């Protein structure tokens, strides 16, 4: 599956004996870095939406509805699940449960998927087939989902990465329309929206955009007078309810990848909001931003991606996205690019859970991005509010949440793979209790999340390559 794209105790005893025998000067003290974080509890960035933490599933994955999946999704705070799966969506015909030129696994039908989504306490976001489908086919899906079955499927994307249809020279997306232009997509998008809303006026329709500052953003294709985003929104901006982008930052090193949420997302989100304001008219405040695929380009199953995941999710939500969906629940690997990253095995598997391939741990074993995502549930929940947190050291990311009951939580992400971080915290608009706070942590290469009471409201130590959430009471 791919996206288009006892011995332990003996060893421990020996290590302890060596450490005790060594003179004090031979035992190196752990190094630390310093950072300060200021939290402004009165500076609201965004509410945490119920749909904020999203996940992709694909109909080629025979384990997408495994009995363990609903519990795993729920424990990770997943509020939205995307179906039927990336580029597959533009070849998928829901009525026959087939994909043109592709494999569909047993037990991945829409109704079975909806059973999993409901059991997880989430809601769907569905990608209607633009590439080989019709407005009538999409409208019939809305009718079946919301009128016949009463699923209340609210969010509908029209196509997946349609700009990959050959218009700009690269072809990975199915598109049978004679014209591949952005003008043609936008014109047809309006027809899809009209037909689908005639069945259920409450559905929300999303338009595929190119990710700002990523190829092919800014390029004018044949048959258009301007680039994809301006063309699509100038025609369909008043007819849509949200825009869609994908974010796969290319990190040239671990450090480079871990800096991408801060260096790329605010500008991308600001550009999207400016485009919406330009073309959506009076409805602009109601047009949302959906980031329906995210993942790293490397280190996929190891600690760098575990740190990247919550930073990616929370930074997008802080900048206005109502959902951010990880690619993918299970993605799979051919085991040909297995490497070691920070002392752990990377299988080159874009899934958040193991697919059970021959080189991997058992099916549904969580990879670090799963635990990183699950740490979001420790910092906040839907109905809570993300507030401003500013740090002094780029190696330490900070996110803060004002709870509905007035308490405060702070997530600290130490991106230094070697050194612990001593973090000094200060607050505006919040007076923390003097009690020792509860601290949740996900440590480098760990297979669980730990908790303890440690440090204080104004000082915490964050181990190397780890995520810490400090829960504070008033």
């Amino acid at each position: 599956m791919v996206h288009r794209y006892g011995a332990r105790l003996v060893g421990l005893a020996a290590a302890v004996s060596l450490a005790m025998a060594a003179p004090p000067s031979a035992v190196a003290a752990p190094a630390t870095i310093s950072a300060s974080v200021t939290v402004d509890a009165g500076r609201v960035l965004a509410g945490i939406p119920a749909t904020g933490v999203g996940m992709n599933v694909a109909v080629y994955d025979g384990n997408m509805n495994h009995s363990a999946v609903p519990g795993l999704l729920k424990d990770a705070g997943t509020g939205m699940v995307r179906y039927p799966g990336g580029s597959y969506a533009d070849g998928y015909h829901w009525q026959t449960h087939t994909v043109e030129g592709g494999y569909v696994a047993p037990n991945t039908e829409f109704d079975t998927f909806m059973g999993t989504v409901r059991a997880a306490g989430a809601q769907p976001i569905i990608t209607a087939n633009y590439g080989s489908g019709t407005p009538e086919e999409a409208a019939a899906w809305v009718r079946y989902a919301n009128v016949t079955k009463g699923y209340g499927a609210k969010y509908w994307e029209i196509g997946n990465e349609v700009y990959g249809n050959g218009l700009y020279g690269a072809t990975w997306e199915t598109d049978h329309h004679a014209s591949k232009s952005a003008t043609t997509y936008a014109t047809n998008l309006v027809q899809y929206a009209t037909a689908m809303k005639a069945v259920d006026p409450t559905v929300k329709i999303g338009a595929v955009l190119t990710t700002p500052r990523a190829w092919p953003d800014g390029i004018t294709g044949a048959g258009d007078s301007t680039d994809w985003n301006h063309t699509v929104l100038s025609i369909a901006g008043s007819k849509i309810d949200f825009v869609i982008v994908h974010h796969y930052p290319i990190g040239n090193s671990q450090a480079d990848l871990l800096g991408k949420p801060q260096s790329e997302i605010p500008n991308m989100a600001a550009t999207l909001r400016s485009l919406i304001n330009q073309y959506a008219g009076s409805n602009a405040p109601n047009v949302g931003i959906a980031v329906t695929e995210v993942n790293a380009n490397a280190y996929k199953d190891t600690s760098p991606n575990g740190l990247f995941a919550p930073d990616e999710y929370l930074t997008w939500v802080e900048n206005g996205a109502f959902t951010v969906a990880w690619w993918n629940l299970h993605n799979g690997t051919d085991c040909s690019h297995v490497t070691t990253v920070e002392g752990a095995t990377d299988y080159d598997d874009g899934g958040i859970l193991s697919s059970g391939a021959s080189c991997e741990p058992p099916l549904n074993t969580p990879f670090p991005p799963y635990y990183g995502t699950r740490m979001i549930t420790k910092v906040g929940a839907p109905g809570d509010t993300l507030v401003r947190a500013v740090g002094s050291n780029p190696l330490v990311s900070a996110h803060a949440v004002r709870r509905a009951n007035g308490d405060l939580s702070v997530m600290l992400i130490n991106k230094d793979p070697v050194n612990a971080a001593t973090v000094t915290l200060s607050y505006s608009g919040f007076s923390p209790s003097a009690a020792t706070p509860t601290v949740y942590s996900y440590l480098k290469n760990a297979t669980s999340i730990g908790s303890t009471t440690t440090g204080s409201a104004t000082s915490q130590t964050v181990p190397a390559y780890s995520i810490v959430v400090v829960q504070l009471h008033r």
Side-chain angles (χ1 to χ4, degrees):
M1 305 174 196
V2 293
H3 172 54
R4 326 173 290 275
Y5 240 133
R8 181 180 172 87
L9 294 177
V10 171
L12 179 59
V16 171
S17 297
L18 286 170
M20 293 178 66
S25 60
V27 181
T32 61
I33 60 173
S34 297
S36 61
V37 171
T38 302
V39 177
D40 185 348
R43 177 75 177 274
V44 173
L45 300 179
I48 299 180
T51 54
V53 174
M55 186 63 58
N56 275 273
V57 297
V59 292
Y60 59 66
D61 172 20
N63 294 304
M64 63 176 275
N65 296 306
H66 188 280
S67 60
V69 165
L72 287 163
L73 291 174
K74 183 177 290 187
D75 288 348
T78 308
M80 180 166 277
V81 187
R82 184 175 183 242
Y83 178 93
S87 296
Y88 256 50
D90 280 313
Y92 179 71
H93 299 285
W94 73 272
Q95 290 159 314
T96 58
H97 190 51
T98 57
V99 171
E100 295 185 18
Y103 167 75
V104 173
N107 302 313
T108 58
E109 297 86 355
F110 178 60
D111 287 321
T112 310
F113 159 74
M114 284 303 306
T116 296
V117 171
R118 286 183 154 188
Q123 60 181 292
I125 182 168
I126 301 168
T127 309
N129 182 344
Y130 173 79
S132 61
T134 64
E136 292 74 25
E137 181 184 37
W141 199 353
V142 172
R143 181 178 293 106
Y144 178 79
N146 293 352
V147 179
T148 303
K149 302 295 290 190
Y151 289 142
K154 184 177 181 180
Y155 294 97
W156 298 77
E157 302 177 63
I158 310 304
N160 172 81
E161 297 180 359
V162 182
Y163 48 81
N165 61 5
L167 176 65
Y168 300 105
T171 305
W172 66 83
E173 203 72 23
T174 299
D175 186 355
H176 294 337
H177 296 89
S179 168
K180 315 300 183 188
S181 70
T183 300
T184 298
Y185 170 69
T187 302
N188 289 329
L189 169 61
V190 173
Q191 294 177 19
Y192 272 75
T194 300
M196 295 163 79
K197 290 194 174 190
V199 174
D200 181 354
T202 69
V203 298
K204 304 293 185 182
I205 303 299
V208 171
L209 297 186
T210 61
T211 304
R213 305 188 183 189
W215 185 92
D217 183 48
I219 301 174
T220 300
D224 298 322
S225 59
T226 186
D227 62 51
W228 182 278
N229 289 354
H230 285 85
T231 300
V232 170
L233 290 178
S234 67
I235 296 170
S238 63
K239 305 295 184 182
I240 61 170
D241 302 288
F242 61 100
V243 299
I244 304 150
V245 293
H246 295 167
H247 190 215
Y248 291 95
I250 298 175
N252 296 314
S253 66
Q254 294 171 206
D256 187 35
L257 170 68
L258 294 178
K260 294 298 185 181
Q262 284 72 42
S263 66
E264 292 188 351
I265 292 172
N267 287 331
M268 288 176 174
T271 298
L272 292 171
R273 183 49 59 188
S274 176
L275 285 166
I276 292 167
N277 289 339
Q278 181 178 355
Y279 292 111
S282 60
N283 193 45
N286 301 318
V287 177
I289 297 171
V291 190
T292 57
E293 291 184 21
V294 298
N295 205 329
N297 70 309
Y299 327 115
K300 298 172 186 174
D301 316 308
T302 47
S303 53
N305 213 14
L307 303 183
F308 170 78
D311 218 8
E312 176 81 358
Y313 273 111
L314 290 173
T315 305
W316 268 114
V317 174
E318 287 167 350
N319 284 274
F322 71 87
T323 191
V324 183
W326 194 262
W327 182 274
N328 197 7
L329 182 69
H330 305 107
N331 201 60
T333 177
D334 62 8
C335 298
S336 65
H337 296 91
V338 178
T339 57
T340 299
V341 178
E342 294 297 330
T345 304
D346 190 281
Y347 307 97
D348 193 36
D349 186 335
I352 206 166
L353 304 175
S354 169
S355 65
S358 59
C359 59
E360 290 187 328
L363 175 68
N364 290 325
T365 299
F367 291 134
Y370 176 86
Y371 292 111
T373 301
R374 190 171 175 179
M375 285 293 286
I376 297 172
T377 67
K378 307 303 181 185
V379 74
D384 295 339
T385 304
L386 284 153
V387 297
R388 185 173 174 82
V390 178
S392 64
N393 190 328
L395 288 175
V396 178
S397 286
H399 303 276
V401 171
R402 191 180 66 210
R403 301 277 193 159
N405 66 359
D407 290 344
L408 191 76
S409 296
V410 183
M411 176 182 282
L412 303 169
I413 304 172
N414 182 1
K415 303 175 185 178
D416 189 314
V418 177
N419 302 306
T422 300
V423 182
T424 302
L425 298 113
S426 59
Y427 307 90
S428 173
F430 178 78
S431 298
S433 163
T436 303
T438 299
V439 176
Y440 288 88
S441 60
Y442 177 62
L443 305 179
K444 182 179 178 180
N445 298 336
T447 56
S448 63
I449 293 171
S451 66
T452 187
T453 53
T454 188
S456 69
T458 57
S459 181
Q460 289 288 331
T461 298
V462 185
Y465 250 35
S466 74
I467 306 165
V468 161
V469 170
V470 186
Q471 294 185 345
L472 303 164
H473 300 294
R474 292 177 291 174

